[in-house]
Each structure stands twice: as structure tokens, then as C-alpha cells.
Amino acid sequence: MSELVPEPRQKPVVPMKPMGINANLLGYIGIDTIIEQMRKKTMKTGFDFNIMVVGQSGLGKSTLVNTLFKSQVSRKSSGWNREEKIPKTVEIKAIGHVIEEGGVKMKLTVIDTPGFGDQINNENCWEPIEKYINEQYEKFLKEEVNIARKKRIPDTRVHCCLYFISPTGHSLRPLDLEFMKHLSKVVNIIPVIAKADTMTLEEKTEFKQRVRKELEVNGIEFYPQKEFDEDLEDKTENDKIRQESMPFAVVGSDKEYQVNGKRVLGRKTPWGIIEVENLNHCEFALLRDFVIRTHLQDLKEVTHNIHYETYRAKRLNDNGGLPPMTVETEENHESNL
């Protein structure tokens, strides 16, 4: 009877040690020029940024967006006036502009949601907004799976949603919590307290803390989400934003006034001028820097890598792993039959 010979155990794979920086470089190669190459390409092609504004009428959504981009980009500049009747249902209005600064072109789309929160019964009024966001993911997915797809797929996906909170000074409404609870799973939500000049500094501080606490208790995650911090530097920077700045208490204005010999954006009151870009007056400058100057690219990446990928995986799974049928693929399928 032959003895069983145990199979020799495989040696564990030892990962290669990372090579030291410039260990084998004998001279300058030019790897560092990739950043300049990317910059030149971006300047030629430009890029898309789609921002949605949600909140009750009268909270200054259009004015704030105009102030953010220092131009008339909101629906107010496209024929809308205050005498229009409040829509009976939530409408979705998207207005596109191309703005340019320093040779960089940006195709900006502002998506407004007139009618949200303005009805006697606001039950499920967030559904048309969620439907619109998912429709943009579906549109991108269908373009992506086309056999002869475009070199550059038009991106209509919502990269950022500014949610306007009424400056009550008390607490969030059930509608606020319901909206953010449902929509935070499909889009980057940035909560802002509108018309912050209606509160004292103490009221504003207390209200911000109360809002943060209510969002935490209800398990609502706003952008930047903790689980998407890539490294310690990101975590440190974003923790400060999450714990101190959010929600941004802002004032919007597209009117200029003379203050100490300088022209500033502001709101005139009987007590003086509220300067929009003065951090002692409101947090508009923090919001602008956050959305445009430090996190704009990350907003786009989280939209593509997290929210869109989640939608894409679900659609493919529901479809048995097959891509959704487009008009082109349906025609090809029928011709093959």
C-alpha cells in the first residue's frame, strides 16, 4: 500500500518592493509634462458642469446661481418673471450656457425645479427630480453601450445639487429630510441655508449645528461623503468642511454697491450693505470656493465613479448582465433575425 505523499505547499507570492523614486533614471525624461498636456487638451475641448437647484420659491435660488458664476445663467434671465403662477406639479427646467474664463470653456447647465415644496400636499414631490436624475444616467448609459458610440459622450448627468433650506432658525422640515434621504443616494447634495441675513450670528451658528445634528440622526449623507475620502489629506480637509462649514449659510445678490471706494456685490438694508463675498457677513465665498475652486472635479468624479456606476450596475443586473437596448441595437437585432 503506497503512502500518500502530501502536495508541496506553494510559496506565498511576495509583492515586489516599490522601486525608489528616480532609482533607474539616468536623466530627464519629461514625465512631469503630462499635467501640461492634460491642461492644453482640457482648454481645447472644454468641460461640462451640471448643477441643480432645489428649494421652495422665494429662497433666492436663481439669484445665488447668478452670483456663483457672476453672470445671468439662471432661468430668471430666460423669460421667467415673478408674476408666473406656481406650477401645480414639480417641473424640471434646464438652461445651458457656455462661459469662458482664462481661456477655459465650461458648458454650464443650470437645472431648476419650480414647484418643489410649494403645494399644500408635498407628498413624494421629490419623485420627478429623482426620475430626471436617473433619466440622465440612462441617457449616458445608452450612449456608452452603442457599437458606434460618440468619441465624446454628451454629459447631462447632474454633478451637484444645491438644496436650499429655509432660514427658520428652528429645525428641518419633514420635506427637507425626505428629499435629502432619497436623493443623497443618487446625487451629490450640498445643503445651503438661504437668505442667512435674516438671522443673527448666534441664530445662524445654532441653526447650522441643529441641521448637522438632524442630518446625522436621520442617516443622511451630504457631499463630501466620508467613505469617498481618498487619503488622510482629503479626510482632514473634508472633515473641516463637514463639521464647520456645512450647511453653508449664504446670501446671494447680483447687484453692486460702492463700499469704501470699492464696487462689491451686496444687499442693501436700512442698517447698511451686506457684502456677499465678505466672510464676516455670510459664507457665500466659502460655498463658491468649495463648488468651483477646490471640489468641482471631484464632484464630477464622484458622480461618474459612484452614483453613475451604482445606477449602471443595477441596470445591467436587472437586464441579466446585458446592456439596455437602444434604437440602434434594436434595429441591428431585428436585421439579424
Side-chain angles (χ1 to χ4, degrees), residues 28-46:
Y28 177 70
I29 299 175
I31 298 171
D32 56 348
T33 63
I34 186 66
I35 304 299
E36 180 62 17
Q37 294 172 45
M38 291 166 69
R39 189 187 72 83
K40 284 182 178 179
K41 192 167 185 180
T42 302
M43 288 187 72
K44 283 181 183 178
T45 59

mmCIF file of all heavy atoms in Angstrom, residues 28-46:
data_model
loop_
_atom_site.group_PDB
_atom_site.id
_atom_site.type_symbol
_atom_site.label_atom_id
_atom_site.label_comp_id
_atom_site.label_asym_id
_atom_site.label_seq_id
_atom_site.Cartn_x
_atom_site.Cartn_y
_atom_site.Cartn_z
ATOM 1 N N TYR A 28 16.762 63.394 -17.454
ATOM 2 C CA TYR A 28 15.394 63.921 -17.503
ATOM 3 C C TYR A 28 14.612 63.268 -18.637
ATOM 4 O O TYR A 28 15.101 63.165 -19.766
ATOM 5 C CB TYR A 28 15.427 65.434 -17.701
ATOM 6 C CG TYR A 28 14.050 66.059 -17.826
ATOM 7 C CD1 TYR A 28 13.198 66.139 -16.725
ATOM 8 C CD2 TYR A 28 13.600 66.552 -19.051
ATOM 9 C CE1 TYR A 28 11.941 66.705 -16.830
ATOM 10 C CE2 TYR A 28 12.346 67.121 -19.166
ATOM 11 C CZ TYR A 28 11.512 67.195 -18.048
ATOM 12 O OH TYR A 28 10.270 67.757 -18.160
ATOM 13 N N ILE A 29 13.390 62.758 -18.339
ATOM 14 C CA ILE A 29 12.526 62.130 -19.342
ATOM 15 C C ILE A 29 11.435 63.080 -19.806
ATOM 16 O O ILE A 29 11.184 63.234 -21.003
ATOM 17 C CB ILE A 29 11.857 60.858 -18.768
ATOM 18 C CG1 ILE A 29 12.910 59.834 -18.369
ATOM 19 C CG2 ILE A 29 10.874 60.260 -19.768
ATOM 20 C CD1 ILE A 29 12.354 58.606 -17.695
ATOM 21 N N GLY A 30 10.765 63.712 -18.861
ATOM 22 C CA GLY A 30 9.683 64.634 -19.215
ATOM 23 C C GLY A 30 8.307 64.148 -18.777
ATOM 24 O O GLY A 30 7.285 64.594 -19.306
ATOM 25 N N ILE A 31 8.280 63.187 -17.818
ATOM 26 C CA ILE A 31 7.005 62.667 -17.340
ATOM 27 C C ILE A 31 6.136 63.778 -16.763
ATOM 28 O O ILE A 31 4.908 63.763 -16.881
ATOM 29 C CB ILE A 31 7.245 61.561 -16.271
ATOM 30 C CG1 ILE A 31 7.997 60.389 -16.892
ATOM 31 C CG2 ILE A 31 5.929 61.083 -15.662
ATOM 32 C CD1 ILE A 31 8.461 59.368 -15.882
ATOM 33 N N ASP A 32 6.787 64.762 -16.154
ATOM 34 C CA ASP A 32 6.045 65.829 -15.487
ATOM 35 C C ASP A 32 5.249 66.708 -16.450
ATOM 36 O O ASP A 32 4.379 67.463 -16.042
ATOM 37 C CB ASP A 32 6.992 66.698 -14.649
ATOM 38 C CG ASP A 32 8.142 67.280 -15.471
ATOM 39 O OD1 ASP A 32 8.328 66.840 -16.621
ATOM 40 O OD2 ASP A 32 8.851 68.172 -14.955
ATOM 41 N N THR A 33 5.515 66.570 -17.754
ATOM 42 C CA THR A 33 4.792 67.414 -18.724
ATOM 43 C C THR A 33 3.372 66.914 -18.979
ATOM 44 O O THR A 33 2.602 67.576 -19.672
ATOM 45 C CB THR A 33 5.544 67.458 -20.074
ATOM 46 O OG1 THR A 33 5.592 66.134 -20.633
ATOM 47 C CG2 THR A 33 6.943 68.005 -19.908
ATOM 48 N N ILE A 34 3.016 65.716 -18.444
ATOM 49 C CA ILE A 34 1.675 65.182 -18.666
ATOM 50 C C ILE A 34 0.607 66.134 -18.131
ATOM 51 O O ILE A 34 -0.480 66.271 -18.703
ATOM 52 C CB ILE A 34 1.523 63.780 -18.026
ATOM 53 C CG1 ILE A 34 0.174 63.146 -18.365
ATOM 54 C CG2 ILE A 34 1.688 63.851 -16.518
ATOM 55 C CD1 ILE A 34 -0.028 62.812 -19.796
ATOM 56 N N ILE A 35 0.924 66.828 -17.039
ATOM 57 C CA ILE A 35 -0.034 67.778 -16.467
ATOM 58 C C ILE A 35 -0.311 68.909 -17.449
ATOM 59 O O ILE A 35 -1.465 69.300 -17.676
ATOM 60 C CB ILE A 35 0.492 68.359 -15.132
ATOM 61 C CG1 ILE A 35 0.809 67.232 -14.142
ATOM 62 C CG2 ILE A 35 -0.518 69.334 -14.534
ATOM 63 C CD1 ILE A 35 -0.375 66.379 -13.764
ATOM 64 N N GLU A 36 0.733 69.412 -18.071
ATOM 65 C CA GLU A 36 0.566 70.489 -19.056
ATOM 66 C C GLU A 36 -0.173 69.989 -20.294
ATOM 67 O O GLU A 36 -0.994 70.703 -20.871
ATOM 68 C CB GLU A 36 1.952 71.040 -19.440
ATOM 69 C CG GLU A 36 1.932 72.175 -20.457
ATOM 70 C CD GLU A 36 1.206 73.421 -19.973
ATOM 71 O OE1 GLU A 36 0.982 73.560 -18.751
ATOM 72 O OE2 GLU A 36 0.853 74.258 -20.832
ATOM 73 N N GLN A 37 0.106 68.733 -20.690
ATOM 74 C CA GLN A 37 -0.618 68.155 -21.830
ATOM 75 C C GLN A 37 -2.116 68.063 -21.538
ATOM 76 O O GLN A 37 -2.961 68.379 -22.384
ATOM 77 C CB GLN A 37 -0.065 66.763 -22.144
ATOM 78 C CG GLN A 37 1.374 66.743 -22.641
ATOM 79 C CD GLN A 37 1.900 65.321 -22.746
ATOM 80 O OE1 GLN A 37 1.229 64.431 -23.242
ATOM 81 N NE2 GLN A 37 3.120 65.102 -22.268
ATOM 82 N N MET A 38 -2.444 67.612 -20.335
ATOM 83 C CA MET A 38 -3.848 67.496 -19.940
ATOM 84 C C MET A 38 -4.512 68.872 -19.892
ATOM 85 O O MET A 38 -5.669 69.031 -20.286
ATOM 86 C CB MET A 38 -3.946 66.807 -18.565
ATOM 87 C CG MET A 38 -3.559 65.337 -18.597
ATOM 88 S SD MET A 38 -3.291 64.648 -16.954
ATOM 89 C CE MET A 38 -4.957 64.656 -16.312
ATOM 90 N N ARG A 39 -3.773 69.857 -19.404
ATOM 91 C CA ARG A 39 -4.313 71.220 -19.325
ATOM 92 C C ARG A 39 -4.634 71.764 -20.713
ATOM 93 O O ARG A 39 -5.708 72.325 -20.945
ATOM 94 C CB ARG A 39 -3.303 72.140 -18.626
ATOM 95 C CG ARG A 39 -3.859 73.534 -18.307
ATOM 96 C CD ARG A 39 -2.762 74.442 -17.782
ATOM 97 N NE ARG A 39 -1.850 74.830 -18.840
ATOM 98 C CZ ARG A 39 -2.065 75.840 -19.691
ATOM 99 N NH1 ARG A 39 -3.167 76.551 -19.604
ATOM 100 N NH2 ARG A 39 -1.181 76.126 -20.622
ATOM 101 N N LYS A 40 -3.712 71.547 -21.654
ATOM 102 C CA LYS A 40 -3.925 72.035 -23.018
ATOM 103 C C LYS A 40 -5.131 71.365 -23.670
ATOM 104 O O LYS A 40 -5.931 72.008 -24.348
ATOM 105 C CB LYS A 40 -2.673 71.792 -23.871
ATOM 106 C CG LYS A 40 -1.541 72.757 -23.598
ATOM 107 C CD LYS A 40 -0.359 72.484 -24.501
ATOM 108 C CE LYS A 40 0.772 73.475 -24.267
ATOM 109 N NZ LYS A 40 1.942 73.183 -25.138
ATOM 110 N N LYS A 41 -5.248 70.053 -23.448
ATOM 111 C CA LYS A 41 -6.370 69.316 -24.041
ATOM 112 C C LYS A 41 -7.697 69.793 -23.465
ATOM 113 O O LYS A 41 -8.692 69.964 -24.183
ATOM 114 C CB LYS A 41 -6.193 67.819 -23.807
ATOM 115 C CG LYS A 41 -7.135 66.962 -24.629
ATOM 116 C CD LYS A 41 -6.735 65.510 -24.610
ATOM 117 C CE LYS A 41 -7.630 64.696 -25.530
ATOM 118 N NZ LYS A 41 -7.270 63.277 -25.544
ATOM 119 N N THR A 42 -7.731 70.005 -22.143
ATOM 120 C CA THR A 42 -8.949 70.477 -21.496
ATOM 121 C C THR A 42 -9.321 71.863 -21.991
ATOM 122 O O THR A 42 -10.497 72.172 -22.199
ATOM 123 C CB THR A 42 -8.763 70.506 -19.962
ATOM 124 O OG1 THR A 42 -8.423 69.194 -19.518
ATOM 125 C CG2 THR A 42 -10.044 70.938 -19.259
ATOM 126 N N MET A 43 -8.320 72.706 -22.204
ATOM 127 C CA MET A 43 -8.593 74.066 -22.689
ATOM 128 C C MET A 43 -9.162 74.036 -24.105
ATOM 129 O O MET A 43 -9.974 74.874 -24.480
ATOM 130 C CB MET A 43 -7.326 74.913 -22.636
ATOM 131 C CG MET A 43 -6.908 75.289 -21.225
ATOM 132 S SD MET A 43 -5.530 76.444 -21.162
ATOM 133 C CE MET A 43 -6.301 77.965 -21.699
ATOM 134 N N LYS A 44 -8.753 73.051 -24.895
ATOM 135 C CA LYS A 44 -9.273 72.931 -26.261
ATOM 136 C C LYS A 44 -10.708 72.416 -26.271
ATOM 137 O O LYS A 44 -11.573 72.957 -26.956
ATOM 138 C CB LYS A 44 -8.393 71.978 -27.088
ATOM 139 C CG LYS A 44 -7.093 72.591 -27.565
ATOM 140 C CD LYS A 44 -6.323 71.568 -28.390
ATOM 141 C CE LYS A 44 -4.973 72.118 -28.819
ATOM 142 N NZ LYS A 44 -4.197 71.100 -29.585
ATOM 143 N N THR A 45 -10.940 71.353 -25.507
ATOM 144 C CA THR A 45 -12.256 70.702 -25.556
ATOM 145 C C THR A 45 -13.260 71.333 -24.605
ATOM 146 O O THR A 45 -14.465 71.257 -24.826
ATOM 147 C CB THR A 45 -12.125 69.205 -25.211
ATOM 148 O OG1 THR A 45 -11.566 69.074 -23.892
ATOM 149 C CG2 THR A 45 -11.234 68.491 -26.203
ATOM 150 N N GLY A 46 -12.759 71.948 -23.526
ATOM 151 C CA GLY A 46 -13.671 72.459 -22.505
ATOM 152 C C GLY A 46 -14.235 71.310 -21.683
ATOM 153 O O GLY A 46 -13.837 70.159 -21.833
#
